[in-house]
Amino acid sequence: MTIRPGVPWGEPMVVTGAVLPVESDRALAELVGEPGADRSTDHRRLIRPTAGDLARTVGLADARTLEPGATATSCPIDVGWAISDSGTRCFVAHCVVRRSWWRGDVILAMNAQYHGRWDVAPRSHPNDGRLDLVTVSAAMTVSQRWQAFRRAPRGDHLPHPAINVTKVIERTWAFDRPQTVWLDGVRWVRTRTLTVRVEPDAMRIIV
């Protein structure tokens, strides 16, 4: 069940086996498996992200590995799915569509709060059952983007009239020409169509 206001996130536990430290968003996404797969037994896996934007979002960047007997919290997280002309792939932190950071439209579908050093979506939570969709208008000038980039590490780029933020379960785009898609910071495909959707409670991590 996704996080609810006033309800603690996750369940207390005692570590009884080996914990797998995962050192990047991309590596964490690869543990999810195929879309629509039965994940009913995945709670048995003790996965702890220790680096990447999702780890930073949940306060685990550079976290130590937990040993058996340690107390921890088992927390469900959502994942995102990107469906392009050429296939489907999971992301755990973000899906970005852009030709350039400096010109044209930019789309960021955020499951995490951060993208590198930028606090892109300050209100994002990886278990709220939504993706935070941050869109930058092509009308935003280079000087405006420069100012936004300077403020983004503190999350002070918002609000801005050229940047729209909304929460979505699913969204589809058809582009006039192929756009490049990055998943969790790794270049994936060029595509004319793209759908992003969230899968709530897709896996569990140990925090």
Side-chain angles (χ1 to χ4, degrees):
M1 181 179 294
T2 55
I3 192 170
R4 291 174 294 166
V7 178
W9 182 40
E11 302 168 358
M13 62 169 291
V14 176
V15 176
T16 58
V19 176
L20 173 65
V22 184
E23 298 181 351
S24 74
D25 296 315
R26 192 69 244 142
L28 184 62
E30 290 172 357
L31 295 175
V32 175
E34 298 298 321
D38 180 6
R39 308 192 214 287
S40 59
T41 61
D42 282 2
H43 67 280
R44 300 174 186 172
R45 298 189 298 176
L46 302 181
I47 299 169
R48 185 171 167 89
T50 57
D53 293 326
L54 187 131
R56 185 182 176 195
T57 297
V58 300
L60 287 179
D62 302 317
R64 63 183 178 85
T65 300
L66 292 176
E67 302 295 334
T71 57
T73 305
S74 174
C75 296
I77 63 168
D78 310 331
V79 302
W81 291 96
I83 302 98
S84 74
D85 297 344
S86 55
T88 301
R89 186 168 291 186
C90 175
F91 62 95
V92 297
H94 34 67
C95 171
V96 178
V97 184
R98 62 178 175 84
R99 288 188 296 126
S100 167
W101 290 117
W102 297 103
R103 64 184 185 277
D105 295 316
V106 179
I107 300 167
L108 303 99
M110 304 293 297
N111 191 47
Q113 179 177 344
Y114 299 98
H115 186 300
R117 66 188 185 90
W118 296 335
D119 187 353
V120 172
R123 296 181 180 275
S124 180
H125 189 285
N127 192 223
D128 63 1
R130 301 289 190 273
L131 297 171
D132 279 51
L133 187 63
V134 182
T135 55
V136 179
S137 169
M140 192 174 187
T141 67
V142 171
S143 62
Q144 288 175 326
R145 293 178 193 228
W146 172 246
Q147 291 298 321
F149 292 159
R150 291 182 61 187
R151 295 171 180 166
R154 303 183 304 274
D156 293 342
H157 58 297
L158 300 172
H160 192 287
I163 303 175
N164 184 63
V165 182
T166 186
K167 288 184 177 289
V168 301
I169 295 174
E170 181 174 322
R171 181 64 59 86
T172 298
W173 297 269
F175 306 114
D176 292 338
R177 54 180 172 172
Q179 299 292 312
T180 304
V181 181
W182 279 260
L183 300 180
D184 296 327
V186 178
R187 181 170 173 156
W188 180 36
V189 294
R190 285 178 59 78
T191 185
R192 284 187 175 272
T193 63
L194 181 70
T195 296
V196 295
R197 79 168 53 109
V198 68
E199 180 184 347
D201 298 336
M203 69 187 306
R204 300 188 76 89
I205 60 173
I206 305 301
V207 303

Short mmCIF file of all heavy atoms in Angstrom, two decimals, residues 30-83:
data_model
loop_
_atom_site.label_atom_id
_atom_site.label_comp_id
_atom_site.label_asym_id
_atom_site.label_seq_id
_atom_site.Cartn_x
_atom_site.Cartn_y
_atom_site.Cartn_z
N GLU A 30 17.26 -2.80 -12.59
CA GLU A 30 17.45 -4.11 -13.21
C GLU A 30 16.99 -5.25 -12.31
O GLU A 30 16.77 -6.37 -12.79
CB GLU A 30 18.91 -4.28 -13.61
CG GLU A 30 19.31 -3.38 -14.78
CD GLU A 30 20.79 -3.39 -15.07
OE1 GLU A 30 21.54 -4.06 -14.31
OE2 GLU A 30 21.22 -2.73 -16.04
N LEU A 31 16.83 -5.00 -11.02
CA LEU A 31 16.35 -6.03 -10.11
C LEU A 31 14.83 -6.18 -10.15
O LEU A 31 14.29 -7.13 -9.60
CB LEU A 31 16.78 -5.70 -8.67
CG LEU A 31 18.27 -5.71 -8.39
CD1 LEU A 31 18.53 -5.26 -6.95
CD2 LEU A 31 18.87 -7.09 -8.63
N VAL A 32 14.15 -5.23 -10.80
CA VAL A 32 12.69 -5.24 -10.79
C VAL A 32 12.14 -6.38 -11.65
O VAL A 32 11.12 -6.99 -11.32
CB VAL A 32 12.14 -3.88 -11.28
CG1 VAL A 32 10.63 -3.92 -11.39
CG2 VAL A 32 12.58 -2.78 -10.33
N GLY A 33 12.81 -6.69 -12.77
CA GLY A 33 12.31 -7.74 -13.65
C GLY A 33 11.43 -7.20 -14.74
O GLY A 33 11.50 -6.03 -15.10
N GLU A 34 10.57 -8.04 -15.26
CA GLU A 34 9.73 -7.70 -16.39
C GLU A 34 8.43 -7.01 -15.95
O GLU A 34 7.95 -7.25 -14.84
CB GLU A 34 9.38 -8.96 -17.20
CG GLU A 34 10.58 -9.66 -17.79
CD GLU A 34 11.33 -8.79 -18.78
OE1 GLU A 34 10.67 -8.06 -19.55
OE2 GLU A 34 12.57 -8.81 -18.76
N PRO A 35 7.85 -6.18 -16.81
CA PRO A 35 6.56 -5.58 -16.47
C PRO A 35 5.49 -6.64 -16.31
O PRO A 35 5.42 -7.61 -17.08
CB PRO A 35 6.26 -4.66 -17.66
CG PRO A 35 7.13 -5.15 -18.77
CD PRO A 35 8.34 -5.74 -18.12
N GLY A 36 4.67 -6.48 -15.29
CA GLY A 36 3.60 -7.43 -15.05
C GLY A 36 4.02 -8.71 -14.35
O GLY A 36 3.19 -9.60 -14.15
N ALA A 37 5.29 -8.82 -13.97
CA ALA A 37 5.76 -10.02 -13.31
C ALA A 37 5.15 -10.16 -11.92
O ALA A 37 4.80 -9.16 -11.27
CB ALA A 37 7.29 -10.00 -13.21
N ASP A 38 5.02 -11.40 -11.45
CA ASP A 38 4.51 -11.66 -10.11
C ASP A 38 5.61 -11.34 -9.11
O ASP A 38 6.65 -11.99 -9.08
CB ASP A 38 4.09 -13.13 -9.99
CG ASP A 38 3.55 -13.47 -8.61
OD1 ASP A 38 3.39 -12.54 -7.79
OD2 ASP A 38 3.29 -14.66 -8.35
N ARG A 39 5.40 -10.32 -8.28
CA ARG A 39 6.42 -9.92 -7.30
C ARG A 39 6.00 -10.28 -5.88
O ARG A 39 6.49 -9.70 -4.91
CB ARG A 39 6.67 -8.42 -7.41
CG ARG A 39 6.98 -7.97 -8.83
CD ARG A 39 7.50 -6.56 -8.86
NE ARG A 39 7.08 -5.86 -10.05
CZ ARG A 39 7.56 -6.09 -11.27
NH1 ARG A 39 8.51 -6.99 -11.44
NH2 ARG A 39 7.11 -5.42 -12.31
N SER A 40 5.11 -11.24 -5.74
CA SER A 40 4.55 -11.56 -4.42
C SER A 40 5.59 -12.11 -3.45
O SER A 40 5.40 -12.05 -2.24
CB SER A 40 3.40 -12.58 -4.57
OG SER A 40 3.86 -13.77 -5.19
N THR A 41 6.70 -12.65 -3.95
CA THR A 41 7.73 -13.19 -3.06
C THR A 41 8.93 -12.26 -2.94
O THR A 41 9.90 -12.58 -2.26
CB THR A 41 8.22 -14.57 -3.57
OG1 THR A 41 8.79 -14.41 -4.88
CG2 THR A 41 7.08 -15.56 -3.63
N ASP A 42 8.86 -11.10 -3.58
CA ASP A 42 10.02 -10.20 -3.58
C ASP A 42 10.33 -9.63 -2.21
O ASP A 42 11.43 -9.12 -1.99
CB ASP A 42 9.81 -9.05 -4.57
CG ASP A 42 10.05 -9.47 -6.00
OD1 ASP A 42 10.34 -10.65 -6.23
OD2 ASP A 42 9.93 -8.62 -6.90
N HIS A 43 9.37 -9.68 -1.27
CA HIS A 43 9.63 -9.13 0.06
C HIS A 43 10.73 -9.90 0.78
O HIS A 43 11.29 -9.42 1.76
CB HIS A 43 8.34 -9.17 0.90
CG HIS A 43 7.88 -10.54 1.23
ND1 HIS A 43 7.18 -11.32 0.32
CD2 HIS A 43 8.03 -11.30 2.34
CE1 HIS A 43 6.91 -12.50 0.87
NE2 HIS A 43 7.40 -12.51 2.09
N ARG A 44 11.07 -11.09 0.28
CA ARG A 44 12.13 -11.88 0.92
C ARG A 44 13.51 -11.34 0.59
O ARG A 44 14.48 -11.66 1.28
CB ARG A 44 12.02 -13.33 0.46
CG ARG A 44 10.68 -13.98 0.82
CD ARG A 44 10.57 -15.36 0.21
NE ARG A 44 9.24 -15.94 0.43
CZ ARG A 44 8.82 -17.06 -0.13
NH1 ARG A 44 9.62 -17.73 -0.96
NH2 ARG A 44 7.61 -17.52 0.12
N ARG A 45 13.62 -10.55 -0.47
CA ARG A 45 14.92 -10.00 -0.85
C ARG A 45 15.24 -8.80 0.03
O ARG A 45 14.40 -7.93 0.24
CB ARG A 45 14.93 -9.59 -2.31
CG ARG A 45 14.69 -10.74 -3.27
CD ARG A 45 14.93 -10.30 -4.71
NE ARG A 45 14.00 -9.24 -5.12
CZ ARG A 45 14.07 -8.63 -6.30
NH1 ARG A 45 15.01 -8.95 -7.17
NH2 ARG A 45 13.19 -7.69 -6.62
N LEU A 46 16.46 -8.76 0.54
CA LEU A 46 16.90 -7.65 1.39
C LEU A 46 17.77 -6.74 0.54
O LEU A 46 18.97 -6.96 0.39
CB LEU A 46 17.65 -8.18 2.61
CG LEU A 46 16.88 -9.17 3.50
CD1 LEU A 46 17.74 -9.60 4.68
CD2 LEU A 46 15.57 -8.56 3.98
N ILE A 47 17.16 -5.71 -0.02
CA ILE A 47 17.82 -4.81 -0.97
C ILE A 47 17.98 -3.44 -0.32
O ILE A 47 17.01 -2.89 0.23
CB ILE A 47 16.99 -4.69 -2.26
CG1 ILE A 47 16.85 -6.06 -2.93
CG2 ILE A 47 17.61 -3.68 -3.22
CD1 ILE A 47 15.83 -6.08 -4.05
N ARG A 48 19.18 -2.90 -0.39
CA ARG A 48 19.45 -1.60 0.25
C ARG A 48 20.22 -0.72 -0.73
O ARG A 48 21.42 -0.92 -0.94
CB ARG A 48 20.25 -1.81 1.53
CG ARG A 48 20.51 -0.55 2.36
CD ARG A 48 21.11 -0.97 3.69
NE ARG A 48 21.67 0.10 4.47
CZ ARG A 48 21.01 0.84 5.36
NH1 ARG A 48 19.71 0.64 5.53
NH2 ARG A 48 21.61 1.78 6.06
N PRO A 49 19.56 0.26 -1.36
CA PRO A 49 20.29 1.17 -2.25
C PRO A 49 21.23 2.05 -1.43
O PRO A 49 20.82 2.63 -0.42
CB PRO A 49 19.18 1.98 -2.91
CG PRO A 49 18.02 1.89 -1.97
CD PRO A 49 18.12 0.58 -1.29
N THR A 50 22.48 2.14 -1.85
CA THR A 50 23.48 2.91 -1.10
C THR A 50 24.04 4.07 -1.91
O THR A 50 24.85 4.84 -1.38
CB THR A 50 24.64 2.00 -0.65
OG1 THR A 50 25.22 1.38 -1.80
CG2 THR A 50 24.14 0.92 0.31
N ALA A 51 23.66 4.20 -3.15
CA ALA A 51 24.10 5.31 -3.99
C ALA A 51 23.05 5.54 -5.06
O ALA A 51 22.25 4.66 -5.37
CB ALA A 51 25.46 5.03 -4.61
N GLY A 52 23.05 6.75 -5.63
CA GLY A 52 22.09 7.09 -6.66
C GLY A 52 21.04 8.05 -6.14
O GLY A 52 20.97 8.37 -4.94
N ASP A 53 20.20 8.51 -7.04
CA ASP A 53 19.22 9.53 -6.69
C ASP A 53 18.07 9.01 -5.84
O ASP A 53 17.54 9.74 -5.00
CB ASP A 53 18.69 10.18 -7.97
CG ASP A 53 19.76 10.99 -8.69
OD1 ASP A 53 20.61 11.58 -7.99
OD2 ASP A 53 19.76 11.02 -9.93
N LEU A 54 17.69 7.75 -6.01
CA LEU A 54 16.65 7.21 -5.15
C LEU A 54 17.20 7.01 -3.74
O LEU A 54 16.53 7.31 -2.75
CB LEU A 54 16.09 5.90 -5.70
CG LEU A 54 14.89 5.41 -4.89
CD1 LEU A 54 13.73 5.04 -5.79
CD2 LEU A 54 15.25 4.24 -3.99
N ALA A 55 18.44 6.52 -3.63
CA ALA A 55 19.06 6.36 -2.31
C ALA A 55 19.14 7.70 -1.59
O ALA A 55 18.87 7.79 -0.38
CB ALA A 55 20.45 5.74 -2.45
N ARG A 56 19.51 8.75 -2.30
CA ARG A 56 19.57 10.07 -1.69
C ARG A 56 18.19 10.54 -1.26
O ARG A 56 18.03 11.13 -0.18
CB ARG A 56 20.18 11.07 -2.68
CG ARG A 56 20.38 12.46 -2.08
CD ARG A 56 20.95 13.42 -3.11
NE ARG A 56 21.05 14.76 -2.56
CZ ARG A 56 21.23 15.86 -3.27
NH1 ARG A 56 21.35 15.77 -4.59
NH2 ARG A 56 21.31 17.05 -2.70
N THR A 57 17.18 10.25 -2.04
CA THR A 57 15.81 10.65 -1.71
C THR A 57 15.35 10.04 -0.40
O THR A 57 14.68 10.70 0.40
CB THR A 57 14.85 10.26 -2.85
OG1 THR A 57 15.22 10.97 -4.03
CG2 THR A 57 13.41 10.57 -2.50
N VAL A 58 15.71 8.78 -0.15
CA VAL A 58 15.25 8.11 1.07
C VAL A 58 16.30 8.17 2.18
O VAL A 58 16.16 7.51 3.21
CB VAL A 58 14.86 6.64 0.78
CG1 VAL A 58 13.72 6.59 -0.22
CG2 VAL A 58 16.04 5.81 0.30
N GLY A 59 17.36 8.97 1.98
CA GLY A 59 18.35 9.18 3.02
C GLY A 59 19.37 8.08 3.16
O GLY A 59 19.96 7.92 4.24
N LEU A 60 19.63 7.33 2.08
CA LEU A 60 20.56 6.21 2.16
C LEU A 60 21.83 6.40 1.35
O LEU A 60 22.60 5.46 1.21
CB LEU A 60 19.87 4.92 1.69
CG LEU A 60 18.83 4.33 2.65
CD1 LEU A 60 18.23 3.07 2.04
CD2 LEU A 60 19.45 3.99 4.00
N ALA A 61 22.08 7.58 0.82
CA ALA A 61 23.31 7.79 0.07
C ALA A 61 24.51 7.53 0.97
O ALA A 61 24.59 8.06 2.09
CB ALA A 61 23.36 9.21 -0.49
N ASP A 62 25.42 6.67 0.50
CA ASP A 62 26.62 6.28 1.26
C ASP A 62 26.29 5.57 2.57
O ASP A 62 27.07 5.60 3.52
CB ASP A 62 27.50 7.51 1.56
CG ASP A 62 27.92 8.23 0.29
OD1 ASP A 62 28.30 7.54 -0.67
OD2 ASP A 62 27.87 9.46 0.25
N ALA A 63 25.13 4.90 2.62
CA ALA A 63 24.75 4.19 3.84
C ALA A 63 25.61 2.94 4.03
O ALA A 63 26.05 2.31 3.07
CB ALA A 63 23.28 3.80 3.77
N ARG A 64 25.82 2.59 5.28
CA ARG A 64 26.60 1.40 5.58
C ARG A 64 25.75 0.15 5.31
O ARG A 64 24.52 0.19 5.35
CB ARG A 64 27.06 1.41 7.03
CG ARG A 64 25.92 1.38 8.03
CD ARG A 64 26.44 1.45 9.47
NE ARG A 64 25.33 1.48 10.42
CZ ARG A 64 24.73 0.39 10.89
NH1 ARG A 64 25.12 -0.82 10.47
NH2 ARG A 64 23.74 0.48 11.74
N THR A 65 26.40 -0.96 5.08
CA THR A 65 25.71 -2.23 4.90
C THR A 65 25.21 -2.74 6.24
O THR A 65 25.94 -2.69 7.24
CB THR A 65 26.64 -3.27 4.26
OG1 THR A 65 27.07 -2.79 2.99
CG2 THR A 65 25.94 -4.61 4.08
N LEU A 66 24.00 -3.22 6.30
CA LEU A 66 23.43 -3.75 7.53
C LEU A 66 23.86 -5.20 7.72
O LEU A 66 23.82 -6.00 6.79
CB LEU A 66 21.92 -3.66 7.49
CG LEU A 66 21.31 -2.26 7.53
CD1 LEU A 66 19.80 -2.35 7.39
CD2 LEU A 66 21.68 -1.53 8.80
N GLU A 67 24.22 -5.53 8.94
CA GLU A 67 24.60 -6.90 9.28
C GLU A 67 23.40 -7.63 9.90
O GLU A 67 22.49 -6.99 10.44
CB GLU A 67 25.76 -6.89 10.27
CG GLU A 67 27.01 -6.19 9.77
CD GLU A 67 27.63 -6.89 8.58
OE1 GLU A 67 27.43 -8.11 8.45
OE2 GLU A 67 28.30 -6.21 7.78
N PRO A 68 23.38 -8.98 9.84
CA PRO A 68 22.31 -9.72 10.49
C PRO A 68 22.19 -9.35 11.97
O PRO A 68 23.19 -9.19 12.66
CB PRO A 68 22.74 -11.18 10.31
CG PRO A 68 23.54 -11.17 9.05
CD PRO A 68 24.29 -9.85 9.07
N GLY A 69 20.95 -9.19 12.41
CA GLY A 69 20.70 -8.77 13.78
C GLY A 69 20.41 -7.30 13.93
O GLY A 69 19.87 -6.86 14.97
N ALA A 70 20.75 -6.51 12.91
CA ALA A 70 20.49 -5.07 12.96
C ALA A 70 18.99 -4.81 12.78
O ALA A 70 18.28 -5.58 12.14
CB ALA A 70 21.28 -4.35 11.88
N THR A 71 18.52 -3.72 13.36
CA THR A 71 17.13 -3.32 13.15
C THR A 71 17.06 -2.40 11.94
O THR A 71 17.98 -1.63 11.67
CB THR A 71 16.58 -2.59 14.37
OG1 THR A 71 17.40 -1.46 14.67
CG2 THR A 71 16.54 -3.52 15.58
N ALA A 72 15.98 -2.49 11.19
CA ALA A 72 15.82 -1.70 9.98
C ALA A 72 14.32 -1.55 9.71
O ALA A 72 13.48 -1.98 10.50
CB ALA A 72 16.52 -2.36 8.80
N THR A 73 14.00 -0.92 8.59
CA THR A 73 12.62 -0.79 8.15
C THR A 73 12.50 -1.28 6.72
O THR A 73 13.30 -0.90 5.86
CB THR A 73 12.15 0.68 8.22
OG1 THR A 73 12.35 1.18 9.55
CG2 THR A 73 10.68 0.80 7.87
N SER A 74 11.54 -2.15 6.48
CA SER A 74 11.27 -2.65 5.13
C SER A 74 10.20 -1.76 4.51
O SER A 74 9.09 -1.66 5.03
CB SER A 74 10.79 -4.10 5.19
OG SER A 74 10.39 -4.55 3.91
N CYS A 75 10.56 -1.10 3.40
CA CYS A 75 9.69 -0.09 2.80
C CYS A 75 9.34 -0.44 1.36
O CYS A 75 10.24 -0.76 0.56
CB CYS A 75 10.36 1.27 2.83
SG CYS A 75 10.67 1.92 4.48
N PRO A 76 8.07 -0.36 0.99
CA PRO A 76 7.72 -0.53 -0.42
C PRO A 76 8.08 0.71 -1.21
O PRO A 76 8.03 1.83 -0.68
CB PRO A 76 6.21 -0.74 -0.38
CG PRO A 76 5.78 0.03 0.83
CD PRO A 76 6.90 -0.09 1.83
N ILE A 77 8.46 0.55 -2.46
CA ILE A 77 8.66 1.68 -3.35
C ILE A 77 7.96 1.42 -4.67
O ILE A 77 7.77 0.27 -5.08
CB ILE A 77 10.16 1.99 -3.60
CG1 ILE A 77 10.85 0.82 -4.31
CG2 ILE A 77 10.87 2.37 -2.32
CD1 ILE A 77 12.24 1.18 -4.85
N ASP A 78 7.58 2.50 -5.32
CA ASP A 78 7.03 2.44 -6.67
C ASP A 78 8.19 2.40 -7.67
O ASP A 78 9.32 2.78 -7.35
CB ASP A 78 6.19 3.67 -6.96
CG ASP A 78 5.16 3.96 -5.89
OD1 ASP A 78 4.70 3.00 -5.22
OD2 ASP A 78 4.81 5.14 -5.72
N VAL A 79 7.91 1.97 -8.87
CA VAL A 79 8.84 2.13 -9.99
C VAL A 79 8.09 2.72 -11.16
O VAL A 79 6.85 2.70 -11.21
CB VAL A 79 9.52 0.79 -10.39
CG1 VAL A 79 10.26 0.17 -9.22
CG2 VAL A 79 8.51 -0.18 -11.00
N GLY A 80 8.83 3.26 -12.10
CA GLY A 80 8.24 3.76 -13.33
C GLY A 80 8.54 2.84 -14.49
O GLY A 80 9.56 2.14 -14.50
N TRP A 81 7.66 2.86 -15.48
CA TRP A 81 7.88 2.13 -16.72
C TRP A 81 7.83 3.12 -17.87
O TRP A 81 6.95 3.98 -17.93
CB TRP A 81 6.83 1.05 -16.92
CG TRP A 81 6.97 -0.07 -15.93
CD1 TRP A 81 6.30 -0.24 -14.76
CD2 TRP A 81 7.89 -1.17 -16.02
NE1 TRP A 81 6.72 -1.36 -14.11
CE2 TRP A 81 7.70 -1.96 -14.86
CE3 TRP A 81 8.84 -1.55 -16.95
CZ2 TRP A 81 8.42 -3.11 -14.61
CZ3 TRP A 81 9.57 -2.70 -16.72
CH2 TRP A 81 9.36 -3.48 -15.56
N ALA A 82 8.80 3.00 -18.78
CA ALA A 82 8.84 3.81 -19.99
C ALA A 82 8.59 2.91 -21.18
O ALA A 82 9.27 1.88 -21.34
CB ALA A 82 10.20 4.50 -20.12
N ILE A 83 7.62 3.26 -22.00
CA ILE A 83 7.25 2.47 -23.19
C ILE A 83 7.53 3.33 -24.41
O ILE A 83 6.90 4.37 -24.61
CB ILE A 83 5.77 2.04 -23.14
CG1 ILE A 83 5.48 1.23 -21.87
CG2 ILE A 83 5.42 1.25 -24.38
CD1 ILE A 83 4.88 2.03 -20.74
#
